[in-house]
Amino acid sequence: MGLAFFLLSILTSVSLNVDNLIVARVADLPTVSQFAITTKLFALLALTVTLVALPLWPANGEALARGDLDWVRKTTRAMVLFSVGAVAVGGLVLVLARNLIAQLWLGDGHAISLGLALSLTVWSIVIAFCSPFFSVQNSVGNLGYQYVGWGLFALASIPLKFVFYPLFGLAGIPLAGAAAYAVFLVPTALLGYRATLGRVVVP
């Protein structure tokens, strides 16, 4: 099981961390710097998702072990609403304050693209929606659906980012990721979640 999680973490890490390499391939050095700085700022939204999801693993595992599906369903719905809401509000704050933050962080003359900020927020919201469903699967080691979803995501998102960049500029990189995530990983999250609950024997 530890090896399965290790291999899944490699797959997700590769899928989620190729953007800087892609931007370095298709753009100049100042553009790469702008993208890297902006993504570091909006990584705070992903941190919110992680802080919400990790404590759910043992709690979901205990509830599933005792067959308490009602608790799992109720908690998962609540955490989906909380995660999406928290990331959306945090994203809105970052979007509105992006240039002020950039000036305080990097000095006068620095600004963050509105399109890039919005696309990174959308990307984070899609991840926030799926995270509680994946937490249920992870709590019992049901990783098969995620292997399929992340594999398809990696195969589709990387070429899609090369297509979206000429169309939308830097904003196209996370926008392509969000589109591929919605197509491949949202169904994976929902189907894997239902399959996990279906395995539980209710006493």
Side-chain angles (χ1 to χ4, degrees):
M1 184 60 66
L3 179 60
F5 274 107
F6 175 69
L7 294 176
L8 181 61
S9 68
I10 292 176
L11 180 58
T12 57
S13 295
V14 170
S15 301
L16 295 174
N17 292 287
V18 298
D19 288 359
N20 285 338
L21 296 176
I22 293 174
V23 174
R25 177 78 176 180
V26 300
D28 54 19
L29 187 59
T31 303
V32 175
S33 300
Q34 179 190 0
F35 184 81
I37 290 168
T38 306
T39 53
K40 283 186 179 298
L41 174 61
F42 280 80
L44 293 172
L45 301 179
L47 178 61
T48 301
V49 175
T50 301
L51 292 176
V52 169
L54 285 180
L56 287 178
W57 283 29
N60 282 326
E62 288 184 20
L64 291 172
R66 65 176 182 266
D68 193 351
L69 296 183
D70 288 339
W71 185 91
V72 174
R73 292 190 181 102
K74 179 180 178 181
T75 302
T76 301
R77 286 194 296 266
M79 296 314 295
V80 167
L81 293 174
F82 177 79
S83 298
V84 171
V87 169
V89 171
L92 178 61
V93 171
L94 290 179
V95 168
L96 294 177
R98 68 191 189 282
N99 290 332
L100 175 61
I101 295 172
Q103 290 173 12
L104 292 174
W105 186 10
L106 303 170
D108 292 338
H110 291 275
I112 293 174
S113 161
L114 175 60
L116 179 57
L118 290 174
S119 63
L120 286 168
T121 301
V122 171
W123 162 245
S124 299
I125 289 173
V126 177
I127 293 177
F129 173 81
C130 291
S131 183
F133 296 109
F134 285 138
S135 178
V136 174
Q137 299 170 56
N138 292 338
S139 68
V140 294
N142 184 17
L143 306 181
Y145 287 87
Q146 294 183 67
Y147 271 110
V148 173
W150 281 108
L152 293 173
F153 172 83
L155 291 174
S157 65
I158 293 175
L160 191 62
K161 289 172 183 179
F162 282 100
V163 173
F164 272 36
Y165 177 77
L167 298 174
F168 305 104
L170 279 181
I173 303 294
L175 191 61
Y181 201 100
V183 170
F184 296 110
L185 283 162
V186 169
T188 297
L190 297 175
L191 292 173
Y193 168 75
R194 292 171 185 170
T196 301
L197 297 187
R199 295 180 181 181
V200 176
V201 177
V202 180

